[in-house]
Amino acid sequence: MEKLFVGTLLLSVLAGVMTQADMTGKVFIFPQESATAHVSLMPLVRKPLHNFTLCLKAFTDHICPYSLFSYSTPSRDNGLLLFVNKMGEYILTIGNLDVTFKAPVTPYIPVHVCVSWESASGIAEFWVNGKPCGRKGLRKGYSVGAQAKIILGQEQDSFGGRFEAKQSFVGEIWEVLLWDHVLPLTEMCEWCYSGNILNWQALSNEESSYVVTKPKLWV
Ligand SMILES: *[C@@H]1O[C@H](CO)[C@@H](O)[C@H](O)[C@H]1NC(C)=O
């Protein structure tokens, strides 16, 4: 056990860059369009997701399509993807199948996006800025694979790679949270920082290429 621990420690030291940080009050800034800049996130627990709730906040003034959250698995590059196709049009992908949700367009202010999904019914519930945008069904009975590469800033077209500058995110992202269960989104609150899969207060992350961490501008 101790050997395993030392081994794990050594591995993380050798890899060198994955750090755990309390990101409270901070954001990741993706300052330029690129096919390289991204942040890899390490889940606190690796388990297949039969249910989940994903929340994040983002600001961008880019209109082109971009990825907000890209979770790929070895068998599905889009295991769980949150993608903005155009202003106000969000695509949720689970196991490479898509549903679209439309939200009122509020340009030049941050968006707070929350989505939950339960395997038993396949129902995904989508909220933007504290308002429901409806429910749709996909992938009933499915579970999202546990072996994940979770990336902010880029969209993965293969497991951990094949980024395209045209789908990169330019702007800032913060308070990215993932739970392994469905939360009542009516009760989504400002202080809900501690997802049990991704926790903004204890975020294992690795920044690659041009990504900058700064205090947040918006509350
Ligand atoms: C997923 O949520 C359903 C309720 O919608 C629950 O019955 C089930 O046990 C949950 N599955 C897991 C693996 O947590």
Side-chain angles (χ1 to χ4, degrees):
M1 190 62 201
E2 198 168 70
K3 237 184 198 158
L4 187 67
F5 177 70
V6 171
T8 314
L9 204 66
L10 191 66
L11 261 184
S12 43
V13 168
L14 286 179
V17 265
M18 185 66 74
T19 53
Q20 196 181 76
D22 180 354
M23 290 291 291
T24 307
K26 295 190 186 140
V27 306
F28 292 120
I29 302 180
F30 300 91
Q32 295 177 345
E33 184 176 295
S34 83
T36 50
H38 65 280
V39 177
S40 300
L41 303 181
M42 183 82 86
L44 291 169
V45 192
R46 283 198 189 276
K47 58 190 293 198
L49 299 176
H50 297 270
N51 307 302
F52 68 78
T53 303
L54 169 69
C55 289
L56 57 84
K57 295 180 184 174
F59 174 83
T60 180
D61 62 4
H62 264 218
I63 296 167
C64 26
Y66 53 85
S67 168
L68 283 174
F69 183 90
S70 172
Y71 177 121
S72 83
T73 65
S75 61
R76 315 270 181 188
D77 55 334
N78 298 332
L80 164 51
L81 172 69
L82 189 57
F83 193 80
V84 181
N85 203 27
K86 52 188 184 205
M87 257 197 200
E89 192 174 304
Y90 294 84
I91 298 176
L92 171 70
T93 308
I94 296 177
N96 286 1
L97 291 184
D98 299 342
V99 280
T100 304
F101 289 94
K102 300 214 171 108
V105 176
T106 48
Y108 317 125
I109 62 160
V111 284
H112 183 190
V113 183
C114 279
V115 56
S116 67
W117 174 77
E118 67 170 11
S119 175
S121 63
I123 289 297
E125 184 175 320
F126 208 86
W127 288 61
V128 174
N129 293 342
K131 301 219 165 60
C133 303
R135 289 178 277 201
K136 289 183 180 172
L138 78 165
R139 280 290 189 197
K140 185 171 183 278
Y142 186 73
S143 65
V144 180
Q147 272 311 318
K149 292 215 189 275
I150 307 175
I151 286 181
L152 305 178
Q154 299 286 341
E155 200 267 319
Q156 305 174 73
D157 282 331
S158 68
F159 187 51
R162 282 196 38 220
F163 304 147
E164 272 179 54
K166 286 290 159 218
Q167 298 183 332
S168 70
F169 178 81
V170 182
E172 2 200 313
I173 294 189
W174 64 104
E175 287 159 31
V176 180
L177 304 163
L178 182 64
W179 292 263
D180 66 352
H181 48 274
V182 170
L183 286 174
L185 296 179
T186 40
E187 291 165 23
M188 228 38 236
C189 44
E190 284 305 317
W191 47 266
C192 294
Y193 290 134
S194 42
N196 65 341
I197 306 287
L198 293 176
N199 180 338
W200 199 245
Q201 293 177 317
L203 190 73
S204 289
N205 70 91
E206 179 184 338
E207 296 171 23
S208 301
S209 182
Y210 190 23
V211 180
V212 179
T213 303
K214 285 280 186 196
K216 65 179 180 180
L217 280 183
W218 291 275
V219 284

